[in-house]
Amino acid sequence: MRKQVEIRQKILKTNEEFAQANRDFFRREKLLCLNMISSPGSGKTTILAKTIKRLRETVRIGVIEGDVQTDFDAEKIRAMGAPAVQIETRGACHLNARQISQALDELPTDKLDVVFIENVGNLVCPSAFELGENGKVAVLSVAEGDDKPAKYPALFAKARAMLINKTDLLGPAGADFDIDRAEADARKVNKSIRAFPMSAKTGDGLEAWCNWLTEQVRATREP
Ligand SMILES: Nc1nc2c(ncn2[C@@H]2O[C@H](COP(=O)(O)OP(=O)(O)O)[C@@H](O)[C@H]2O)c(=O)[nH]1
Ligand SMILES: [Mg+2]
C-alpha cells in the first residue's frame, strides 16, 4: 500500500513539473488555455465546433483533443477550419501535462488566442491532473441529471465555468433537470463559478458563453 502511495506521488510530481512548464509557456505567450472536462457525450466537441464557427472573425481557437481511441473529434474541429491535435490515451482516463506539452509543439500557438483542451470523458480523474491550463470548464448535459455537481464536487470546486448543455431536451416529454439546483450545488463548493445553460444544437445560450470567452481572452492578453 505504501509503495502504491509513493508511485502515485511520483506520477503527480512529474505531472506537476510539466504542468508548470506549460503554465509558464501560456503566461509568456499571453495565451488562454481552458481544460474542458465532462462525462462522455455531454457535447464538448459540438460546443467547441459551434464556438469556433461563431467566433471565427474575432477569436483564434486551437484544440487539443483527448480520447481513449480514434481521431474523430480532431477531424470535426479541423472541418470547422481550426487547428487540432489528437491525443489517443490508449486506455488512460485522463490527459497528462507531458502529453499537452508535446501537443503544443504541433499547434501554431503564435497564431492563436485560445487553446482548448478537450479532456477524456470522465468526471473524476481529469480534475486531479493539472495540465498547466488557466482554467477548467465543466460541461454537463441535462440528460445526465442535476445531481452531478453534488456527486462530483472536486471538478466544480476547481472550474471557472460550468456549461449546462442540451437544454433543447428539457420539457415534459424530455429530461428532468433543475438548472437552479445544479448551479446552487456547484456554488456550495465554488462561489465564483459562472453557469451557462445552452443548447449547442440550436445555438440557444451560446452568445453568453462566447461573450464570456471573449472577455477571458481579453483579460489574458491585457492582464
Ligand atoms: N439534443 C442535443 N444533442 C446534442 C447537443 N450537443 C451535442 N449533442 C449530441 O450529443 C452527442 C455527443 O456530443 P459530442 O459533442 O460528441 O460530446 P462529447 O463526447 O462531450 O464531445 C452527439 O450526438 C451530439 O450531436 C445539444 O445541445 N442538444
Ligand atoms: Mg468529444
Side-chain angles (χ1 to χ4, degrees):
M1 187 65 188
R2 218 180 92 209
K3 192 149 192 190
Q4 279 179 13
V5 171
E6 278 169 17
I7 291 169
R8 186 170 161 77
Q9 281 170 347
K10 193 158 172 236
I11 290 170
L12 284 172
K13 185 164 176 281
T14 307
N15 188 69
E16 183 46 37
E17 284 163 14
F18 279 97
Q20 187 56 47
N22 294 344
R23 216 170 276 132
D24 292 344
F25 174 79
F26 294 131
R27 189 176 307 122
R28 219 169 36 242
E29 301 294 316
K30 296 194 161 107
L31 190 54
L32 176 66
C33 176
L34 295 175
N35 180 5
M36 283 182 110
I37 301 178
S38 81
S39 317
S42 64
K44 298 181 294 304
T45 311
T46 312
I47 292 168
L48 285 174
K50 293 290 177 82
T51 303
I52 289 163
K53 191 170 171 200
R54 212 179 167 102
L55 295 178
R56 184 160 296 171
E57 305 297 326
T58 51
V59 180
R60 299 167 300 173
I61 298 174
V63 181
I64 298 173
E65 287 288 350
D67 277 295
V68 171
Q69 219 162 304
T70 80
D71 65 350
F72 296 167
D73 284 1
E75 280 302 322
K76 286 181 189 160
I77 298 299
R78 288 187 202 115
M80 301 310 295
V85 178
Q86 182 77 48
I87 299 169
E88 285 181 85
T89 64
R90 299 279 165 192
C93 57
H94 61 87
L95 291 170
N96 65 52
R98 179 186 221 143
Q99 291 168 322
I100 299 306
S101 163
Q102 288 165 347
L104 285 170
D105 285 341
E106 295 177 45
L107 277 179
T109 50
D110 56 337
K111 297 187 182 70
L112 297 177
D113 301 306
V114 189
V115 173
F116 272 104
I117 299 168
E118 182 182 334
N119 220 311
V120 181
N122 185 309
L123 278 177
V124 182
C125 313
S127 60
F129 281 78
E130 293 296 321
L131 303 178
E133 71 272 26
N134 303 98
K136 294 176 178 45
V137 174
V139 185
L140 279 178
S141 77
V142 300
E144 293 162 44
D146 51 21
D147 57 3
K148 296 304 169 291
K151 285 185 175 172
Y152 300 91
L155 168 60
F156 294 88
K158 291 180 179 172
R160 267 196 207 186
M162 62 191 278
L163 313 188
I164 302 171
N165 191 34
K166 307 197 188 182
T167 52
D168 57 287
L169 298 180
L170 288 171
D176 195 9
F177 186 104
D178 182 341
I179 292 178
D180 291 341
R181 177 192 172 188
E183 278 191 45
D185 283 342
R187 290 236 158 72
K188 279 182 197 157
V189 291
N190 181 350
K191 282 197 175 57
S192 60
I193 194 166
R194 293 288 308 268
F196 296 100
M198 64 173 61
S199 165
K201 187 185 170 96
T202 66
D204 229 37
L206 274 179
E207 190 176 353
W209 151 248
C210 287
N211 288 344
W212 179 84
L213 179 61
T214 304
E215 175 54 29
Q216 300 293 304
V217 169
R218 200 202 52 72
T220 309
R221 289 266 179 241
E222 304 149 22

